[in-house]
């Protein structure tokens, strides 16, 4: 394939148009969210929409610079950028200004930047460079170690900054690794773990243990082709558990049913293992491992959730799962957010017509909760348009990633898509009560220079990589 | 080409994205389209309904003098969340309350139903405009506080408290009964304020504002499209003559009883006095409850409206009614004479005072002979054609009731009592069936016994005689501004069962009682220029001295005023009740008093001892 002549040739314009549309809509919604009669000029630079306009213009300039730089720079200096980002993160940790309880801001003159925002593209560049090497074997232990270090190092520093939400974003990169070789069963296992996690919070331990045991038996019944043995094994374990329970009860010992089930399982597992040894059925070893891992996971989640997780985070999750509600207290943000979006109805209240956002009932209405303004003023129609734009953008990014010849560009592309996807899903999810409140911005929409620039860099490096593929 | 692992994953990742997108859209659909409660919550957040209270209608007397009007007052409102630390000492001294009261008010507002720290609550009710003037200058020092204008009643003449009633705040019960009212609204609780509440109260308005999360008003909602203006209450002209009412209240000072004066041609109540009375200003504003309690604990019961609610036996004035029934039933004739030797001799007997004998019908009324009316009463009840005492009594009762006794006259004021006229079944229960006859119930002939009549009913009786046989339901409202005429029930003529010709003999007797010289029972009521017709009475009272009663009307031809006067425990009707009635009539018809000595004597008289005159 021939090299493109013009530096700006071969740009993927649909992506750029969606980017422009989202940025413009974000700006209009910031205007609407903080609009007041005293400050109604859209160019009022004492107000956030005035400032955002400056950020936008600077972001455009930044995009242009990125497009003008030789694409090889991003490959060659990937680790350099990564190192720089880590350095910035560490300095923020020590010298950073505290905002909302997090050491996440680096003060440069009168302006501040959030290194955590910029660390994203650097991490993806580094990851792309690592994984993009010819003949890279992702499932080798050394590979797993390297990948883990690259991803977890920035995440760990961000957690130290007390900004868990931003750190969670790095978890989204699992999608990249999935694309690059993590097998399906592992992803399914992860999904199952998430399911167990939620179940631990809403259901009792005993129920979960029974469920885990039953799913293990079920898996064996499906893949093991030994129905008769399975049934008798399951029945005898169950009968043993019940006899134990009633005997202890009869003797007057009040013992939690969780321990009864655990005892049954501990007695049952060696029997199954002995059976496996003599019949040479390897599946039983795997399933036993599965049962042990999930059980340990469930019990430690239970312990961690109720004993270690701070109360306010517990409450947020409980609110989400409908376990408890306190719309005036810790549930205030989400409740007001839902009221704002819910009151928008089908067509919305019209531009500047939103009352809940404009009159500050919704907190952080121009940053993390900017989607409330969309929902309130543009209704279901507007919300659908915005979400559709994001989905089209994501699918387009995947499409572009798939057409890359170089693994580096492709991995980077998937990284960009994963990060944006995570941000959109979590941010919109929290405003509509699908996800716990985690303070991360809506890409291109939320007020703030750092966030806008970081996403612009993230996206335009990929556009640049694509333009000269 | 079969799908290999790599292409598979591309689609799986895309599917995950689309799946999450669909989940979010579904949730948005639930929030924005299916669930309606968020729209309501949003309005509750942002819309603040500020009621606009109308001023109550004014009340004028029959001559157009303003007798009930409004004064400005201010409710001090507070939004708890906006209050910052302030100088409580200064605040308390401006408001004229003590510091403890400020603390008490803060804890009190939290108990109000529907309290919210984001919304205004009443902190202190009804601050006077004088206090407000001082407060207004310094309100900036007390963030979170604001005032809401209200209107309170004021009474320039300080008369007729019972008639007007009073205004208070609605309670939970009233709100439950009538959805028009909301917490903080005022309502007429008694008297005219209550019976004409709908007309007087006007119509509340509402201003809808949008507020931000700190309850700061950000502007009117939809430019005031849904705001409504408060409509001032309708003004009322009442039938009362303020001067006559005030004069009557002065005459009744230090006396217990009641005066009711009616214009016979219309049924309009000219004056309605219940004594002791109270200053209506006492039942206005913040001190109302405390003052009400004080008045209520007074043993002379100043709150009790005797004109409508006190039931007395009519005494000798009732002889007129018996006389008229006798004439109508043909059991006595104008020419019929009965001798009287100190009393009615049959049965237990009824005593009489000393007077010439025998007497004609007219003379019997003039001199109020007990014996004569015992004959008359028995003549009616025992009239052979009726067949039995029960039938005879029923005929008598029917006649009596046509005078408006034993039933409400339906005056346009609350709490009117029916009075008592006994029935056959009452006596059947009281004695036994067949165990009573005309002699057993002979006291009815002279207006004693089981009869209970209110001063209003007695004034109405006087009105009937003045009209020679009919009456209009007494009423206190003459005109409601913006309304055509008054309730038709007040313009409906009620005709008694007695032919109007018979009234002339009664009128003659009443004329003679006042103006007939020797033997007249109410000679002290006579006026040189105005011909008053009257009838005294002395109502026996088991609890103390007799009540002094007098009914009268004047002038004799084309009467303009009919009146009933009750003075409790003041003895013979001719002693106190008749001169008071005479002064009232003179005041109303001549507008000047020709007997200042009598006036002073009456005004100064103290008749509060319930047993002094008991014989
Ligand atoms: Zn006599």
């Amino acid at each position: 394939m021939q090299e493109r002549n013009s530096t700006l040739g071969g740009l993927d314009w649909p992506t750029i148009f969606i980017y422009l549309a989202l940025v413009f809509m974000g700006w209009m919604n910031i205007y609407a969210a903080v609009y007041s009669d005293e400050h109604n000029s859209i160019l009022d630079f004492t107000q956030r929409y005035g400032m955002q306009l400056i950020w936008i213009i600077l972001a455009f300039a930044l995009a242009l610079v990125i497009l003008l730089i030789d694409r090889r720079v991003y490959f060659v200096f990937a680790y350099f950028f990564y190192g720089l980002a880590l350095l910035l993160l560490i300095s923020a940790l020590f010298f950073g200004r505290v905002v909302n309880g997090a050491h996440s801001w680096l003060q440069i003159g009168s302006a501040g930047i959030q290194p955590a925002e910029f660390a994203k593209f650097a991490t993806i560049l580094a990851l792309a460079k690592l994984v993009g090497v010819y003949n890279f074997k992702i499932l080798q232990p050394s590979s797993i170690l390297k990948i883990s270090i690259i991803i977890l190092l920035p995440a760990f520093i961000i957690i130290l900054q007390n900004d868990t939400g931003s750190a969670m974003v790095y978890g989204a990169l699992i999608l990249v690794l999935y694309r690059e070789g993590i097998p399906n069963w592992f992803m399914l296992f992860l999904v199952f773990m998430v399911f167990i996690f939620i179940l631990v919070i809403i259901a009792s331990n005993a129920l979960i243990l029974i469920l885990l045991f039953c799913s293990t038996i079920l898996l064996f019944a499906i893949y093991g082709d030994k129905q008769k043995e399975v049934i008798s094994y399951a029945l005898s374990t169950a009968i043993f558990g019940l006899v134990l329970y009633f005997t202890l009860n009869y003797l007057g010992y009040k013992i939690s049913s969780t321990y009864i089930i655990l005892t049954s399982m501990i007695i049952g597992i060696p029997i199954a293992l002995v059976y496996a040894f003599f019949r040479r059925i390897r599946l039983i070893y795997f399933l036993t491992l599965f049962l042990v891992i999930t059980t340990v996971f469930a019990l430690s989640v239970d312990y961690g959730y109720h004993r270690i997780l701070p109360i306010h985070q517990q409450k947020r999750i409980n609110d989400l799962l409908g376990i408890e509600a306190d719309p005036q207290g810790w549930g205030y943000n989400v409740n007001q957010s839902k009221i704002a979006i819910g009151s928008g109805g089908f067509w919305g209240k019209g531009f500047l017509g939103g009352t809940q956002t404009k009159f500050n009932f919704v907190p952080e209405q121009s940053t993390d909760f900017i989607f409330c303004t969309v929902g309130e003023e543009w209704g279901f129609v507007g919300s659908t348009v915005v979400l559709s734009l994001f989905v089209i953008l994501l699918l387009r990014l995947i499409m572009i990633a798939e057409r890359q010849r170089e693994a580096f560009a492709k991995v980077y592309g998937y990284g960009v898509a994963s990060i944006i996807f995570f941000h959109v899903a979590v941010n919109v999810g929290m405003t509509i009560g699908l996800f716990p409140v985690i303070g991360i911005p809506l890409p291109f929409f939320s007020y703030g220079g750092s966030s806008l620039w970081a996403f612009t860099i993230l996206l335009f490096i990929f556009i640049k990589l694509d333009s000269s593929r | 080409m079969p799908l290999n692992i790599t292409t598979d994953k591309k689609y799986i990742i895309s599917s995950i994205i689309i799946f999450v997108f669909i989940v979010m859209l579904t949730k948005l659909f639930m929030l924005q389209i299916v669930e309606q409660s968020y729209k309501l919550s949003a309005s509750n957040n942002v819309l603040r309904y500020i009621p606009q209270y109308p001023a109550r209608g004014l009340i004028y007397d029959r001559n157009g003098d303003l007798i009930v009007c409004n004064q400005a007052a201010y409710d001090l409102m507070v939004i708890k969340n906006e209050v910052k630390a302030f100088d409580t000492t200064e605040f308390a001294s401006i408001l004229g309350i003590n510091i403890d009261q400020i603390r008490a008010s803060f804890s009190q507002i939290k108990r109000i139903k529907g309290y919210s720290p984001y919304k205004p609550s009443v902190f202190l009710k009804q601050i006077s405009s004088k206090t407000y003037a001082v407060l207004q200058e310094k309100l900036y020092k007390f963030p979170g506080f604001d005032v809401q204008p209200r209107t309170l009643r004021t009474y320039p003449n300080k008369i007729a408290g019972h008639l007007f009633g009073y205004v208070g705040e609605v309670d939970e019960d009233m709100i439950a009964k009538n959805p028009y009212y909301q917490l903080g609204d005022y309502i007429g609780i008694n008297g005219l304020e209550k019976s004409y509440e709908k007309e007087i109260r006007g119509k509340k308005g509402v201003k809808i504002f949008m507020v931000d999360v700190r309850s700061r008003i950000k502007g009117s909602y939809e430019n005031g499209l849904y705001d409504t203006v408060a409509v001032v209450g309708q003004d009322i002209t009442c039938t009362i003559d303020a001067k006559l009412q005030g004069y009557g209240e002065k005459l009744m000072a230090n006396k217990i009883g009641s005066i009711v004066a009616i214009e016979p041609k219309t049924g309009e109540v000219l004056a309605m006095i219940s004594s002791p009375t109270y200053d209506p200003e006492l039942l206005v504003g913040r001190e109302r409850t405390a003052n009400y309690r004080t008045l209520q604990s007074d043993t002379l019961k100043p709150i009790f409206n005797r004109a409508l609610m006190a039931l007395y036996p009519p005494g000798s004035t009732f002889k007129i009614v018996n006389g008229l029934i006798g004439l109508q039933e043909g059991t006595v004739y104008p020419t019929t004479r009965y001798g009287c030797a100190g009393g009615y001799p049959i049965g237990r007997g009824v005593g009489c005072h000393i007077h010439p004998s025998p007497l004609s019908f007219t003379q019997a009324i003039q001199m109020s002979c007990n014996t004569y009316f015992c004959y008359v009463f028995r003549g009616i009840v025992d009239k052979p054609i009726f067949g039995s005492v029960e039938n005879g009594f029923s005929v008598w009762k029917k006649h009596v009731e046509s005078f408006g006794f034993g039933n409400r006259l339906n005056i346009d004021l609350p709490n009117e009592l029916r009075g008592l006229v006994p029935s056959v079944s009452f006596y059947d229960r009281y004695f036994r069936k067949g165990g009573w006859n005309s002699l057993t119930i002979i006291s009815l002939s002279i207006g004693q016994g089981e009869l209970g009549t209110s001063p209003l009913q007695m004034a109405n009786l006087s009105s009937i005689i003045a009209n020679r046989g009919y009456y209009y339901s007494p009423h206190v409202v003459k005109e409601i501004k913006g309304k055509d005429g008054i309730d038709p029930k007040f313009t409906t003529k009620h005709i008694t069962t007695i032919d109007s010709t018979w009234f002339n003999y009664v009128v003659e007797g009443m004329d003679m009682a006042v103006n007939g010289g020797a033997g007249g029972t109410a000679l002290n009521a006579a006026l040189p220029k105005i011909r008053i017709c009257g009838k005294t009475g002395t109502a026996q009272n088991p609890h103390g001295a007799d009540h002094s009663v007098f009914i009268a009307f004047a002038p004799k031809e084309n009467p303009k005023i009919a009146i009933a006067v009750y003075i409790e425990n003041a003895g013979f009707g001719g002693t106190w009740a008749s001169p008071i009635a005479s002064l009232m009539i003179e005041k109303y018809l001549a507008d000047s008093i020709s007997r200042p000595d009598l006036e002073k004597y009456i005004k100064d008289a103290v008749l509060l001892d319930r047993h002094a005159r008991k014989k």
Side-chain angles (χ1 to χ4, degrees), chain A residues 178 182 336 341 356 359 375 380 402 432, chain B residues 9-10 12 21 27 32 42 45-46 213:
Chain A
Y178 171 60
I182 290 180
Q336 291 299 335
I341 294 172
Q356 307 302 302
F359 296 151
F380 183 65
E402 288 293 338
I432 59 181
Chain B
K9 283 191 169 174
K10 175 176 112 186
I12 288 170
F21 170 70
K27 178 75 181 186
Q32 300 188 294
N45 266 344
V46 83
V213 70

PDB file of all heavy atoms in Angstrom, chain A residues 178 182 336 341 356 359 375 380 402 432, chain B residues 9-10 12 21 27 32 42 45-46 213:
ATOM      1  N   TYR A 178      -8.809  -9.281  25.766  1.00  0.00           N
ATOM      2  CA  TYR A 178      -9.725 -10.301  25.239  1.00  0.00           C
ATOM      3  C   TYR A 178      -9.577 -10.404  23.728  1.00  0.00           C
ATOM      4  O   TYR A 178      -9.428 -11.485  23.155  1.00  0.00           O
ATOM      5  CB  TYR A 178     -11.154  -9.931  25.625  1.00  0.00           C
ATOM      6  CG  TYR A 178     -12.225 -10.780  24.967  1.00  0.00           C
ATOM      7  CD1 TYR A 178     -12.262 -12.162  25.178  1.00  0.00           C
ATOM      8  CD2 TYR A 178     -13.185 -10.213  24.144  1.00  0.00           C
ATOM      9  CE1 TYR A 178     -13.228 -12.949  24.589  1.00  0.00           C
ATOM     10  CE2 TYR A 178     -14.164 -10.986  23.555  1.00  0.00           C
ATOM     11  CZ  TYR A 178     -14.189 -12.355  23.776  1.00  0.00           C
ATOM     12  OH  TYR A 178     -15.150 -13.116  23.183  1.00  0.00           O
ATOM     13  N   ILE A 182      -7.125 -13.468  25.207  1.00  0.00           N
ATOM     14  CA  ILE A 182      -7.720 -14.105  26.388  1.00  0.00           C
ATOM     15  C   ILE A 182      -8.891 -14.977  25.924  1.00  0.00           C
ATOM     16  O   ILE A 182      -9.724 -14.514  25.145  1.00  0.00           O
ATOM     17  CB  ILE A 182      -8.213 -13.054  27.409  1.00  0.00           C
ATOM     18  CG1 ILE A 182      -7.015 -12.374  28.055  1.00  0.00           C
ATOM     19  CG2 ILE A 182      -9.084 -13.700  28.484  1.00  0.00           C
ATOM     20  CD1 ILE A 182      -7.391 -11.331  29.072  1.00  0.00           C
ATOM     21  N   GLN A 336     -31.823  12.933  42.782  1.00  0.00           N
ATOM     22  CA  GLN A 336     -32.030  14.194  42.057  1.00  0.00           C
ATOM     23  C   GLN A 336     -31.683  14.022  40.579  1.00  0.00           C
ATOM     24  O   GLN A 336     -32.338  14.603  39.709  1.00  0.00           O
ATOM     25  CB  GLN A 336     -31.181  15.304  42.672  1.00  0.00           C
ATOM     26  CG  GLN A 336     -31.641  15.728  44.051  1.00  0.00           C
ATOM     27  CD  GLN A 336     -33.052  16.269  44.058  1.00  0.00           C
ATOM     28  OE1 GLN A 336     -33.552  16.761  43.057  1.00  0.00           O
ATOM     29  NE2 GLN A 336     -33.730  16.150  45.185  1.00  0.00           N
ATOM     30  N   ILE A 341     -33.623  13.704  34.962  1.00  0.00           N
ATOM     31  CA  ILE A 341     -33.736  12.983  33.686  1.00  0.00           C
ATOM     32  C   ILE A 341     -35.181  12.527  33.471  1.00  0.00           C
ATOM     33  O   ILE A 341     -35.755  12.709  32.400  1.00  0.00           O
ATOM     34  CB  ILE A 341     -32.771  11.787  33.662  1.00  0.00           C
ATOM     35  CG1 ILE A 341     -31.328  12.294  33.674  1.00  0.00           C
ATOM     36  CG2 ILE A 341     -33.017  10.916  32.436  1.00  0.00           C
ATOM     37  CD1 ILE A 341     -30.289  11.227  33.852  1.00  0.00           C
ATOM     38  N   GLN A 356     -34.296  21.489  37.024  1.00  0.00           N
ATOM     39  CA  GLN A 356     -33.581  20.732  38.056  1.00  0.00           C
ATOM     40  C   GLN A 356     -32.074  20.958  37.965  1.00  0.00           C
ATOM     41  O   GLN A 356     -31.400  21.084  38.976  1.00  0.00           O
ATOM     42  CB  GLN A 356     -33.879  19.236  37.914  1.00  0.00           C
ATOM     43  CG  GLN A 356     -35.343  18.921  37.874  1.00  0.00           C
ATOM     44  CD  GLN A 356     -36.069  19.411  39.100  1.00  0.00           C
ATOM     45  OE1 GLN A 356     -35.742  19.041  40.219  1.00  0.00           O
ATOM     46  NE2 GLN A 356     -37.042  20.285  38.916  1.00  0.00           N
ATOM     47  N   PHE A 359     -31.237  25.009  38.412  1.00  0.00           N
ATOM     48  CA  PHE A 359     -31.381  25.530  39.771  1.00  0.00           C
ATOM     49  C   PHE A 359     -30.626  24.668  40.788  1.00  0.00           C
ATOM     50  O   PHE A 359     -30.969  24.631  41.966  1.00  0.00           O
ATOM     51  CB  PHE A 359     -32.858  25.645  40.148  1.00  0.00           C
ATOM     52  CG  PHE A 359     -33.601  26.635  39.291  1.00  0.00           C
ATOM     53  CD1 PHE A 359     -34.954  26.474  39.034  1.00  0.00           C
ATOM     54  CD2 PHE A 359     -32.944  27.724  38.729  1.00  0.00           C
ATOM     55  CE1 PHE A 359     -35.626  27.387  38.236  1.00  0.00           C
ATOM     56  CE2 PHE A 359     -33.618  28.629  37.931  1.00  0.00           C
ATOM     57  CZ  PHE A 359     -34.968  28.455  37.682  1.00  0.00           C
ATOM     58  N   GLY A 375     -30.818  14.752  29.505  1.00  0.00           N
ATOM     59  CA  GLY A 375     -32.065  14.045  29.767  1.00  0.00           C
ATOM     60  C   GLY A 375     -33.204  14.993  30.056  1.00  0.00           C
ATOM     61  O   GLY A 375     -34.333  14.772  29.621  1.00  0.00           O
ATOM     62  N   PHE A 380     -36.155  11.932  26.144  1.00  0.00           N
ATOM     63  CA  PHE A 380     -35.763  10.604  25.689  1.00  0.00           C
ATOM     64  C   PHE A 380     -35.132  10.686  24.305  1.00  0.00           C
ATOM     65  O   PHE A 380     -34.160   9.992  24.001  1.00  0.00           O
ATOM     66  CB  PHE A 380     -36.997   9.701  25.666  1.00  0.00           C
ATOM     67  CG  PHE A 380     -36.703   8.286  25.292  1.00  0.00           C
ATOM     68  CD1 PHE A 380     -35.922   7.481  26.113  1.00  0.00           C
ATOM     69  CD2 PHE A 380     -37.201   7.758  24.113  1.00  0.00           C
ATOM     70  CE1 PHE A 380     -35.646   6.165  25.763  1.00  0.00           C
ATOM     71  CE2 PHE A 380     -36.929   6.449  23.759  1.00  0.00           C
ATOM     72  CZ  PHE A 380     -36.149   5.648  24.580  1.00  0.00           C
ATOM     73  N   GLU A 402      -9.945  -2.762  13.374  1.00  0.00           N
ATOM     74  CA  GLU A 402      -9.855  -4.054  12.658  1.00  0.00           C
ATOM     75  C   GLU A 402      -9.189  -3.912  11.294  1.00  0.00           C
ATOM     76  O   GLU A 402      -8.651  -4.871  10.756  1.00  0.00           O
ATOM     77  CB  GLU A 402     -11.256  -4.664  12.491  1.00  0.00           C
ATOM     78  CG  GLU A 402     -11.852  -5.197  13.781  1.00  0.00           C
ATOM     79  CD  GLU A 402     -11.099  -6.419  14.321  1.00  0.00           C
ATOM     80  OE1 GLU A 402     -10.401  -7.100  13.537  1.00  0.00           O
ATOM     81  OE2 GLU A 402     -11.173  -6.652  15.549  1.00  0.00           O
ATOM     82  N   ILE A 432     -28.464   7.473  35.649  1.00  0.00           N
ATOM     83  CA  ILE A 432     -29.809   6.903  35.552  1.00  0.00           C
ATOM     84  C   ILE A 432     -30.018   5.780  36.555  1.00  0.00           C
ATOM     85  O   ILE A 432     -31.026   5.092  36.517  1.00  0.00           O
ATOM     86  CB  ILE A 432     -30.134   6.429  34.110  1.00  0.00           C
ATOM     87  CG1 ILE A 432     -29.139   5.372  33.650  1.00  0.00           C
ATOM     88  CG2 ILE A 432     -30.134   7.620  33.159  1.00  0.00           C
ATOM     89  CD1 ILE A 432     -29.394   4.883  32.235  1.00  0.00           C
TER      90      ILE A 432
ATOM     91  N   LYS B   9     -14.542 -12.463  18.018  1.00  0.00           N
ATOM     92  CA  LYS B   9     -14.323 -11.564  19.135  1.00  0.00           C
ATOM     93  C   LYS B   9     -14.704 -10.125  18.788  1.00  0.00           C
ATOM     94  O   LYS B   9     -15.260  -9.403  19.615  1.00  0.00           O
ATOM     95  CB  LYS B   9     -12.863 -11.634  19.588  1.00  0.00           C
ATOM     96  CG  LYS B   9     -12.596 -12.878  20.402  1.00  0.00           C
ATOM     97  CD  LYS B   9     -11.259 -12.799  21.047  1.00  0.00           C
ATOM     98  CE  LYS B   9     -11.120 -13.918  22.075  1.00  0.00           C
ATOM     99  NZ  LYS B   9      -9.757 -13.954  22.624  1.00  0.00           N
ATOM    100  N   LYS B  10     -14.419  -9.744  17.574  1.00  0.00           N
ATOM    101  CA  LYS B  10     -14.810  -8.405  17.134  1.00  0.00           C
ATOM    102  C   LYS B  10     -16.312  -8.220  17.288  1.00  0.00           C
ATOM    103  O   LYS B  10     -16.796  -7.220  17.819  1.00  0.00           O
ATOM    104  CB  LYS B  10     -14.407  -8.234  15.670  1.00  0.00           C
ATOM    105  CG  LYS B  10     -14.849  -6.932  15.051  1.00  0.00           C
ATOM    106  CD  LYS B  10     -14.327  -6.815  13.643  1.00  0.00           C
ATOM    107  CE  LYS B  10     -15.471  -6.879  12.659  1.00  0.00           C
ATOM    108  NZ  LYS B  10     -14.974  -6.912  11.269  1.00  0.00           N
ATOM    109  N   ILE B  12     -18.267 -10.063  19.188  1.00  0.00           N
ATOM    110  CA  ILE B  12     -18.690 -10.172  20.590  1.00  0.00           C
ATOM    111  C   ILE B  12     -18.518  -8.825  21.306  1.00  0.00           C
ATOM    112  O   ILE B  12     -19.420  -8.362  22.012  1.00  0.00           O
ATOM    113  CB  ILE B  12     -17.879 -11.276  21.313  1.00  0.00           C
ATOM    114  CG1 ILE B  12     -18.344 -12.645  20.801  1.00  0.00           C
ATOM    115  CG2 ILE B  12     -18.059 -11.187  22.831  1.00  0.00           C
ATOM    116  CD1 ILE B  12     -17.477 -13.789  21.257  1.00  0.00           C
ATOM    117  N   PHE B  21     -25.775  -0.441  25.566  1.00  0.00           N
ATOM    118  CA  PHE B  21     -26.541   0.675  25.005  1.00  0.00           C
ATOM    119  C   PHE B  21     -28.055   0.413  25.122  1.00  0.00           C
ATOM    120  O   PHE B  21     -28.823   1.280  25.548  1.00  0.00           O
ATOM    121  CB  PHE B  21     -26.114   0.835  23.540  1.00  0.00           C
ATOM    122  CG  PHE B  21     -26.958   1.783  22.738  1.00  0.00           C
ATOM    123  CD1 PHE B  21     -26.920   3.149  22.982  1.00  0.00           C
ATOM    124  CD2 PHE B  21     -27.770   1.308  21.709  1.00  0.00           C
ATOM    125  CE1 PHE B  21     -27.681   4.012  22.216  1.00  0.00           C
ATOM    126  CE2 PHE B  21     -28.529   2.178  20.950  1.00  0.00           C
ATOM    127  CZ  PHE B  21     -28.485   3.536  21.205  1.00  0.00           C
ATOM    128  N   LYS B  27     -33.599   1.642  30.403  1.00  0.00           N
ATOM    129  CA  LYS B  27     -33.711   2.343  31.683  1.00  0.00           C
ATOM    130  C   LYS B  27     -34.183   3.791  31.464  1.00  0.00           C
ATOM    131  O   LYS B  27     -35.041   4.287  32.212  1.00  0.00           O
ATOM    132  CB  LYS B  27     -32.354   2.311  32.397  1.00  0.00           C
ATOM    133  CG  LYS B  27     -32.332   3.037  33.718  1.00  0.00           C
ATOM    134  CD  LYS B  27     -33.028   2.274  34.828  1.00  0.00           C
ATOM    135  CE  LYS B  27     -32.987   3.055  36.129  1.00  0.00           C
ATOM    136  NZ  LYS B  27     -33.517   2.325  37.266  1.00  0.00           N
ATOM    137  N   GLN B  32     -38.065   8.128  31.776  1.00  0.00           N
ATOM    138  CA  GLN B  32     -38.581   9.332  31.134  1.00  0.00           C
ATOM    139  C   GLN B  32     -39.993   9.178  30.600  1.00  0.00           C
ATOM    140  O   GLN B  32     -40.704  10.161  30.455  1.00  0.00           O
ATOM    141  CB  GLN B  32     -37.647   9.750  29.996  1.00  0.00           C
ATOM    142  CG  GLN B  32     -36.244  10.044  30.498  1.00  0.00           C
ATOM    143  CD  GLN B  32     -35.364  10.640  29.432  1.00  0.00           C
ATOM    144  OE1 GLN B  32     -35.046   9.991  28.446  1.00  0.00           O
ATOM    145  NE2 GLN B  32     -34.954  11.882  29.621  1.00  0.00           N
ATOM    146  N   ALA B  42     -40.054  16.652  40.326  1.00  0.00           N
ATOM    147  CA  ALA B  42     -39.371  17.820  39.777  1.00  0.00           C
ATOM    148  C   ALA B  42     -40.156  19.084  40.101  1.00  0.00           C
ATOM    149  O   ALA B  42     -39.591  20.102  40.505  1.00  0.00           O
ATOM    150  CB  ALA B  42     -39.192  17.663  38.269  1.00  0.00           C
ATOM    151  N   ASN B  45     -39.730  19.964  43.632  1.00  0.00           N
ATOM    152  CA  ASN B  45     -38.420  20.565  43.838  1.00  0.00           C
ATOM    153  C   ASN B  45     -38.446  22.046  43.557  1.00  0.00           C
ATOM    154  O   ASN B  45     -37.961  22.855  44.313  1.00  0.00           O
ATOM    155  CB  ASN B  45     -37.418  19.952  42.861  1.00  0.00           C
ATOM    156  CG  ASN B  45     -36.663  18.798  43.474  1.00  0.00           C
ATOM    157  OD1 ASN B  45     -36.661  18.632  44.676  1.00  0.00           O
ATOM    158  ND2 ASN B  45     -36.024  18.012  42.649  1.00  0.00           N
ATOM    159  N   VAL B  46     -39.018  22.376  42.428  1.00  0.00           N
ATOM    160  CA  VAL B  46     -38.710  23.680  41.848  1.00  0.00           C
ATOM    161  C   VAL B  46     -39.862  24.670  41.981  1.00  0.00           C
ATOM    162  O   VAL B  46     -39.656  25.864  41.958  1.00  0.00           O
ATOM    163  CB  VAL B  46     -38.278  23.491  40.381  1.00  0.00           C
ATOM    164  CG1 VAL B  46     -39.468  23.384  39.459  1.00  0.00           C
ATOM    165  CG2 VAL B  46     -37.341  24.588  39.948  1.00  0.00           C
ATOM    166  N   VAL B 213     -32.103  25.159  44.499  1.00  0.00           N
ATOM    167  CA  VAL B 213     -31.946  24.152  45.540  1.00  0.00           C
ATOM    168  C   VAL B 213     -31.866  24.795  46.923  1.00  0.00           C
ATOM    169  O   VAL B 213     -32.173  24.170  47.928  1.00  0.00           O
ATOM    170  CB  VAL B 213     -30.710  23.287  45.239  1.00  0.00           C
ATOM    171  CG1 VAL B 213     -29.428  24.076  45.436  1.00  0.00           C
ATOM    172  CG2 VAL B 213     -30.706  22.013  46.059  1.00  0.00           C
TER     173      VAL B 213
END
